[in-house]
Amino acid sequence: MSIKQVVLKIPAVYWKVLYFVVAIIVCWIEAQGRSDFTIYKMASRDLVNGICPYSHSYIDGYYYYYSLFFAYLIYPFTLLSEFSSTFIWLMINAVLLYFIIIEIYNFLYLNQFDKEKRFLIIGLIILFSMRTIRENFHSAQVTILMLFLMLYSLKYLLQEKYLLSGLFLSLAINIKLLALPLMAYYLYRGLWKVVFWGCVFLVLLYFFPLIIMDKNFYGLCMHEWWALVNPSNDKHLIDVEERSFHSITTLITTLFMKNPPDIYALPIRRYIVDLSVEHVKWIIQLVRILLISSVILVIRQLPFQKFKNQYELFFEFSYVLALIPLIFPHQQHYAFLLQMPAIGILIYHWINGKIPKWMRAFLIAIFLCFNLKILLGVWNEYYDHFKILTYGGLLVIGLLIKQSFDLMEKV
């Protein structure tokens, strides 16, 4: 009996047990020491003690960017030890990641395939995403939670549970503004009930802290929060404060400025031409507009038109999610986990022979751009210097557009 036959005969329940055993081990290891979750807890303590969490930085100059509601929500974690609280938070993320994989499985209709093909598709999705998954656990970030909330918003939308769909979307937006493009997509699609409930819950979540906080203190906190996240700030455009930043704002800055304010830059040329700061800002905004407008190439319908089927909606949804880490500033490696559904679609088409041979080279390039840090970590500083993760994200977008033209009418 071959190894493949042995693997395929293993009952599904054993794979689930293996997943959670591995998750416990990983969470135990990653719960040692400080992480981004440490910053969240410090901000939560400050807020409860009447100190604005947005007015000062925390560990190594990092700021708290998330909502007041989220800071209150995680306050119980501050009552536990550093290790215990982080371990529980990571285990919650492991459970949410499990449900994310299940939902991608369902949205791709993998039940229609034999066990070998199902196993191969899910295995490749996890393999392609292993670096972004690892970075989320290493940093104890919120991206897994965000992806879970957005996927379940789509799930409840398709089940016509519009109140729940709006609630999950509003939670995602409230925690982190990265989810706003999904609300814009729902609006374009004319999904009025979800948009209505999303707006209602969003208002409630933003004003909920007023039940606990003094009005003046709340106003101060919101003012300081906006000062941090205001997209017109120069630091959100010339976005090279850290070597590990990846997005269009960072990539374009490194390509069109000879000496950007990047103290971590290697003494290796990466710019194409040296332009002024103002010209670079204009290019960044233009490329952002082009990327956002590219959604129309995938939808190819006028606003407020009803979607044809579940797969079409999931395809468009995945494209919108894949754009998020590219168009928003200050994006770290872990944010590209949001491209996991899009990568799942590409792998689905690859395994089903719907991607031409010449495009498979681009899939390999995507895998390498996403995972070289794990495969050949000795050159990490070079990968970050040349922003190869951003190129991988752009390739995902390009292949999805190509697939939308080739296949959407046939699915």
Side-chain angles (χ1 to χ4, degrees):
M1 186 180 294
S2 67
I3 295 176
K4 182 175 77 173
Q5 291 173 321
V6 171
V7 169
L8 292 176
K9 284 191 174 183
I10 297 175
V13 66
Y14 290 166
W15 289 112
K16 294 176 185 177
V17 170
L18 177 62
Y19 172 87
F20 284 106
V21 168
V22 172
I24 290 170
I25 294 170
V26 170
C27 292
W28 188 274
I29 294 170
E30 296 294 356
Q32 315 286 338
R34 298 183 307 187
S35 64
D36 289 358
F37 193 59
T38 306
I39 295 174
Y40 307 159
K41 290 182 292 183
M42 293 171 73
S44 179
R45 286 193 199 98
D46 278 353
L47 183 61
V48 170
N49 291 323
I51 302 170
C52 177
Y54 307 112
S55 61
H56 57 281
S57 63
Y58 291 94
I59 301 168
D60 298 330
Y62 288 97
Y63 284 85
Y64 175 74
Y65 288 95
Y66 309 138
S67 69
L68 295 174
F69 176 79
F70 182 66
Y72 279 120
L73 187 66
I74 64 170
Y75 182 72
F77 287 98
T78 68
L79 306 177
L80 304 173
S81 69
E82 182 68 27
F83 173 83
S84 298
S85 60
T86 306
F87 178 76
I88 293 170
W89 171 254
L90 291 176
M91 281 304 302
I92 291 171
N93 276 266
V95 173
L96 296 180
L97 180 62
Y98 172 79
F99 284 112
I100 287 169
I101 295 169
I102 294 299
E103 286 312 309
I104 291 175
Y105 179 100
N106 292 333
F107 280 122
L108 291 176
Y109 298 106
L110 295 189
N111 271 335
Q112 65 183 307
F113 301 117
D114 58 57
K115 188 174 182 180
E116 180 179 350
K117 191 169 283 189
R118 297 198 305 267
F119 185 88
L120 183 59
I121 292 172
I122 291 299
L124 285 172
I125 291 172
I126 294 172
L127 190 64
F128 269 66
S129 305
M130 63 180 177
R131 188 265 188 93
T132 54
I133 291 172
R134 187 261 177 188
E135 294 291 344
N136 273 279
F137 280 94
H138 182 66
S139 299
Q141 255 287 332
V142 298
T143 313
I144 292 174
L145 172 60
M146 295 284 294
L147 181 54
F148 170 82
L149 290 171
M150 289 188 280
L151 269 174
Y152 267 70
S153 172
L154 183 67
K155 174 184 178 178
Y156 289 130
L157 163 63
L158 290 167
Q159 293 177 356
E160 299 184 357
K161 297 177 180 178
Y162 302 116
L163 187 147
L164 281 175
S165 178
L167 174 61
F168 275 64
L169 177 57
S170 66
L171 279 168
I173 296 172
N174 175 266
I175 292 170
K176 203 170 184 179
L177 293 176
L178 295 184
L180 266 175
L182 186 55
M183 178 73 87
Y185 167 68
Y186 284 170
L187 184 62
Y188 186 93
R189 269 300 187 183
L191 301 167
W192 307 115
K193 292 180 181 179
V194 178
V195 172
F196 170 77
W197 285 114
C199 290
V200 168
F201 284 119
L202 195 57
V203 171
L204 291 175
L205 289 171
Y206 272 115
F207 285 101
F208 172 83
L210 276 172
I211 299 173
I212 306 168
M213 300 171 66
D214 172 76
K215 222 180 284 185
N216 292 330
F217 181 51
Y218 173 83
L220 170 67
C221 288
M222 293 305 290
H223 178 269
E224 294 292 334
W225 170 76
W226 180 248
L228 280 179
V229 303
N230 187 344
S232 65
N233 288 348
D234 279 357
K235 70 176 184 178
H236 296 327
L237 293 173
I238 307 303
D239 191 25
V240 289
E241 291 178 15
E242 297 177 41
R243 177 184 287 163
S244 55
F245 280 169
H246 292 271
S247 70
I248 282 300
T249 52
T250 305
L251 180 64
I252 290 175
T253 299
T254 60
L255 290 178
F256 294 99
M257 287 184 70
K258 180 179 179 180
N259 296 305
D262 180 2
I263 62 173
Y264 304 103
L266 299 177
I268 304 172
R269 176 169 176 163
R270 58 184 171 178
Y271 71 96
I272 300 171
V273 62
D274 187 25
L275 301 178
S276 68
V277 171
E278 289 305 314
H279 283 118
V280 171
K281 289 179 185 177
W282 276 104
I283 294 173
I284 288 170
Q285 298 293 32
L286 176 62
V287 173
R288 270 181 173 164
I289 292 169
L290 290 174
L291 283 173
I292 294 168
S293 301
S294 70
V295 176
I296 306 301
L297 293 176
V298 174
I299 299 176
R300 298 200 304 281
Q301 287 181 328
L302 294 173
F304 319 134
Q305 301 294 310
K306 185 174 176 59
F307 58 90
K308 297 174 185 175
N309 53 57
Q310 174 179 310
Y311 182 80
E312 178 183 65
L313 193 67
F314 179 61
F315 193 108
E316 295 168 4
F317 168 92
S318 299
Y319 187 84
V320 172
L321 260 60
L323 280 177
I324 289 173
L326 292 170
I327 63 175
F328 279 83
H330 287 1
Q331 296 307 298
Q332 300 273 9
H333 310 83
Y334 46 72
F336 283 79
L337 182 70
L338 295 177
Q339 292 200 338
M340 188 179 188
I343 289 171
I345 288 173
L346 294 176
I347 290 171
Y348 168 85
H349 289 311
W350 177 22
I351 299 303
N352 284 289
K354 296 178 180 178
I355 285 184
K357 290 182 179 179
W358 65 267
M359 283 178 61
R360 295 173 192 175
F362 289 107
L363 282 172
I364 295 170
I366 290 170
F367 173 77
L368 293 175
C369 287
F370 272 66
N371 294 294
L372 272 176
K373 188 172 182 179
I374 289 178
L375 300 174
L376 291 170
V378 67
W379 292 303
N380 283 346
E381 58 185 11
Y382 294 95
Y383 309 147
D384 285 339
H385 180 74
F386 290 104
K387 309 302 173 188
I388 68 167
L389 180 57
T390 309
Y391 288 112
L394 289 169
L395 279 176
V396 170
I397 292 297
L399 292 189
L400 275 181
I401 292 174
K402 177 70 167 61
Q403 287 304 103
S404 74
F405 279 100
D406 289 351
L407 301 167
M408 281 302 277
E409 298 301 325
K410 302 177 183 178
V411 175

